[in-house]
């Protein structure tokens, strides 16, 4: 039976090999002409697949045990690469430790999220890649090597799209556990957002703005604040009186607790609970991250596209992310605002509107999220990444025979 990604819109071409140990992984990689790694399958394209002309293998680490090895003295935790953030967070919490930030979905794998520059939210919070201290990578000949912060290749190797090998383990920065409250507001007008967007997007540790680009403005604002911090009041917005889902008709029992009730970080920072299907399940996603100072320009351009987007758009989310130094990160070298789109699961109709979205956003310097739907190719993407040529040079050195190459990388990286 053919296997698909999480959204069900891509069927994998390659033979899937479930490895039982790191040594088994090394043997499989060394013997295969082409290899790609499968994580939580939350990419919406052929990013993690082999090219259909290859006799390659897709390696899954799902049978490896999830381990979380805490080094309290150095405030780090070494975790198996395939492990889901929710599982890692649960184990850290049990031992009194925490991660500084999480993405909306606790279901995604650590290695996959890091490799695609996935992020949470917060004007002062970098992408999840900024927590990485080191990576253990199985290279093209099955060799196991470690790349650590401070190494010459480190900043090119973290957000690497699987181009340098299969990540067997990731060491992350951790901190003592903490509590968070989540407050939800409704009815923030476009005028109030335009008056001081920087204040709005930094009004809590993590801020998410949900809209459908209609004249009604921002329909929901989710503020996640560490206990001891006071979330800002949003002018003209109203405190929600019941639990809300960002999708119309969405099951509210699947979202993390709202109403300002304090709870452990892992139970508030994600939007969705680990035990439920995130969002709606049957959907596509896109995201573009652009310089924060151009956020209002992007808002105006997307409002102008409302009529084209509405038939296929479930909701959009705006979030701020802090700059980092990872070469292929969407926030490399600059503070950004991410504009996320949750679409109906209709690839033909979604891909028909993506060129209009990219015509509006790419001239502003917007970089597509690597793991989501976009149409730009290397010609459009290269000017957006100052270290793209350095990344290709590092790839030539680490994987000269393109054991980890595929059609996606050919289109996007060259």
């Amino acid at each position: 039976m053919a296997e698909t990604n999480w959204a069900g819109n891509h069927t994998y071409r390659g033979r899937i090999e479930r490895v039982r140990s790191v040594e088994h992984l090394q043997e499989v990689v060394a013997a295969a002409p082409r290899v790609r790694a499968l994580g939580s399958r939350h990419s919406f394209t052929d990013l993690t697949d082999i090219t259909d002309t290859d006799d390659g293998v897709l390696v899954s680490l799902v049978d490896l045990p999830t381990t979380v090895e805490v080094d309290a003295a150095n405030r780090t935790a070494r975790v198996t690469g395939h492990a889901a953030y929710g599982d890692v967070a649960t184990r850290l919490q049990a031992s009194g430790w925490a991660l500084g930030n999480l993405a909306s979905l606790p279901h995604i794998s650590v290695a996959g999220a890091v490799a695609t520059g996935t992020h949470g939210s917060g004007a002062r919070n970098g992408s999840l890649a900024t927590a990485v201290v080191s990576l253990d990578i199985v290279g093209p000949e099955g060799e196991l090597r470690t790349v650590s912060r401070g190494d010459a290749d480190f900043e090119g190797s973290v957000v690497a799209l699987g181009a340098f090998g299969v990540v067997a383990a990731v060491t992350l920065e951790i901190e003592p556990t903490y509590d968070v409250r989540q407050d939800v507001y409704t009815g923030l007008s476009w005028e109030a957002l335009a008056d001081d967007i920087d204040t709005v997007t930094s009004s809590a540790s993590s801020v998410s703005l949900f809209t459908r680009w209609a004249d009604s403005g921002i329909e929901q604002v989710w503020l996640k604040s560490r206990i001891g911090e006071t979330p800002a009041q949003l002018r003209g917005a109203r405190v929600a009186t019941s639990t809300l889902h960002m999708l119309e008709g969405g099951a509210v029992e699947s979202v993390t607790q709202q109403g300002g009730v304090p709870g452990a970080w892992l139970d508030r920072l994600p939007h969705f609970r680990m035990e439920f299907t995130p969002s709606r399940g049957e959907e596509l996603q896109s995201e573009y991250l652009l310089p924060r100072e151009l956020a209002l320009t992007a808002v105006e351009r997307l409002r102008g596209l409302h009529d084209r987007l509405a038939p296929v758009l479930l909701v959009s989310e705006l979030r701020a992310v802090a700059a980092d130094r990872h070469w292929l990160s969407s926030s490399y070298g600059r503070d950004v605002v991410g504009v996320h789109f949750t679409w109906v699961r209709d690839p033909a109709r979604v891909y028909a509107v993506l060129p209009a979205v990219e015509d509006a956003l790419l001239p502003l310097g917007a970089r597509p999220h690597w793991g989501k739907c976009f149409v730009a190719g290397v010609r459009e993407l290269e000017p957006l990444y100052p270290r793209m040529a350095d990344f290709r040079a590092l790839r030539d050195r680490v994987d000269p025979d393109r054991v980890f190459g595929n059609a996606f990388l050919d289109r996007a990286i060259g």
Side-chain angles (χ1 to χ4, degrees), residues 3-22:
E3 297 197 43
T4 70
N5 63 347
W6 175 83
N9 69 303
H10 180 79
T11 300
Y12 293 110
R13 307 179 184 99
R15 172 177 60 86
I16 297 176
E17 181 82 22
R18 292 171 62 148
V19 298
R20 302 178 301 275
S21 65
V22 173

Side-chain angles (χ1 to χ4, degrees), residues 240-362:
T241 57
S242 61
T243 298
L244 298 179
H245 197 293
M246 74 288 291
L247 296 181
E248 186 174 355
V252 295
E253 62 267 21
S254 68
V255 302
T256 49
Q257 187 164 3
Q258 302 169 8
V261 179
W265 59 283
L266 71 166
D267 296 326
R268 298 293 184 275
L269 290 181
H271 292 338
F272 302 101
R273 300 175 189 264
M274 184 72 174
E275 61 269 27
F276 288 89
T277 298
S279 199
R280 183 164 289 172
E282 295 185 355
E283 63 195 42
L284 301 179
Q285 296 178 12
S286 300
E287 187 174 25
Y288 299 87
L289 297 100
L290 56 120
R292 201 174 294 176
E293 63 272 18
L294 297 178
L296 289 177
T297 302
V299 165
E300 289 305 310
R301 292 184 179 186
L302 291 169
R303 288 184 64 192
L305 293 175
H306 170 263
D307 291 346
R308 293 194 61 182
L309 302 180
V312 291
L313 180 68
L314 296 174
V315 75
S316 277
E317 178 181 5
L318 283 72
R319 291 177 286 180
V321 185
D324 64 50
R325 301 302 304 169
H326 298 288
W327 296 353
L328 291 191
S329 170
S330 301
S331 47
Y332 172 81
R334 64 192 190 190
D335 296 333
V336 297
V337 164
V339 185
H340 188 277
F341 301 87
T342 300
W343 310 106
V344 298
R345 196 181 71 180
D346 188 330
R349 293 169 66 206
V350 169
Y351 275 88
V353 302
L354 287 180
V357 173
E358 295 187 5
D359 285 347
L361 299 183
L362 264 60

Side-chain angles (χ1 to χ4, degrees), residues 40-77:
S40 54
R41 308 191 187 193
H42 200 260
S43 294
F44 293 84
T45 68
D46 57 345
L47 167 62
T48 57
D49 206 353
I50 63 167
T51 304
D52 55 7
T53 57
D54 288 339
D55 179 22
V57 60
L58 303 175
V59 292
S60 170
L61 279 62
V62 69
D63 289 340
L64 295 184
T66 294
T67 59
V68 179
E69 303 168 4
V70 171
D71 181 342
N74 290 309
R75 291 195 170 197
T76 62

Side-chain angles (χ1 to χ4, degrees), residues 157-175:
S157 300
V158 181
V159 182
L161 312 181
F164 299 157
V166 181
V167 174
V170 184
T171 300
L172 302 169
E173 290 178 335
I174 58 174
E175 60 183 274

Side-chain angles (χ1 to χ4, degrees), residues 97-401:
W97 293 95
L99 298 170
N101 201 10
L102 288 171
S104 302
L105 277 60
H107 312 71
I108 58 178
S109 69
V110 173
V114 165
T116 54
T118 300
H119 57 90
S121 174
R124 296 179 298 276
N125 295 327
S127 73
L128 299 179
T130 60
V132 175
V133 176
S134 68
L135 301 169
D136 294 345
I137 306 171
V138 176
E141 296 180 0
E143 74 282 11
L144 183 64
R145 62 191 180 90
T146 299
V147 182
S148 300
R149 188 180 291 174
D151 292 349
D153 295 343
F154 179 75
E155 291 177 347
S157 300
V158 181
V159 182
L161 312 181
F164 299 157
V166 181
V167 174
V170 184
T171 300
L172 302 169
E173 290 178 335
I174 58 174
E175 60 183 274
T177 188
Y178 55 90
D179 285 349
V180 173
R181 59 178 288 173
Q182 181 168 219
D183 299 271
V184 175
Y185 290 79
T186 63
L188 181 71
S189 69
W190 291 122
E191 292 76 18
L193 181 69
D195 282 348
D196 199 351
I197 188 172
D198 289 338
T199 296
V200 172
T201 55
S202 60
S203 54
S205 297
S206 169
V207 179
S208 293
L209 313 176
F210 294 99
T211 181
R212 291 169 179 82
W213 306 109
D215 290 342
S216 54
I218 304 295
E219 297 167 18
Q220 299 179 28
V221 182
W222 293 23
L223 305 181
K224 304 169 193 279
S225 309
R226 293 196 184 204
I227 299 305
E229 301 173 345
T230 303
Q233 298 297 309
L234 301 177
R235 180 172 61 82
R238 302 174 297 278
V239 176
T241 57
S242 61
T243 298
L244 298 179
H245 197 293
M246 74 288 291
L247 296 181
E248 186 174 355
V252 295
E253 62 267 21
S254 68
V255 302
T256 49
Q257 187 164 3
Q258 302 169 8
V261 179
W265 59 283
L266 71 166
D267 296 326
R268 298 293 184 275
L269 290 181
H271 292 338
F272 302 101
R273 300 175 189 264
M274 184 72 174
E275 61 269 27
F276 288 89
T277 298
S279 199
R280 183 164 289 172
E282 295 185 355
E283 63 195 42
L284 301 179
Q285 296 178 12
S286 300
E287 187 174 25
Y288 299 87
L289 297 100
L290 56 120
R292 201 174 294 176
E293 63 272 18
L294 297 178
L296 289 177
T297 302
V299 165
E300 289 305 310
R301 292 184 179 186
L302 291 169
R303 288 184 64 192
L305 293 175
H306 170 263
D307 291 346
R308 293 194 61 182
L309 302 180
V312 291
L313 180 68
L314 296 174
V315 75
S316 277
E317 178 181 5
L318 283 72
R319 291 177 286 180
V321 185
D324 64 50
R325 301 302 304 169
H326 298 288
W327 296 353
L328 291 191
S329 170
S330 301
S331 47
Y332 172 81
R334 64 192 190 190
D335 296 333
V336 297
V337 164
V339 185
H340 188 277
F341 301 87
T342 300
W343 310 106
V344 298
R345 196 181 71 180
D346 188 330
R349 293 169 66 206
V350 169
Y351 275 88
V353 302
L354 287 180
V357 173
E358 295 187 5
D359 285 347
L361 299 183
L362 264 60
L364 302 179
R367 299 164 177 159
H369 189 299
W370 294 111
K372 303 182 188 294
C373 301
F374 63 93
V375 295
V378 64
R379 182 172 62 87
E380 295 82 15
L381 296 175
E382 183 157 14
L384 303 174
Y385 291 89
R387 303 298 297 272
M388 181 76 85
D390 295 324
F391 181 86
R392 283 198 290 260
L394 178 55
R395 186 185 180 199
D396 287 341
R397 178 158 50 84
V398 172
D399 184 22
D401 296 325

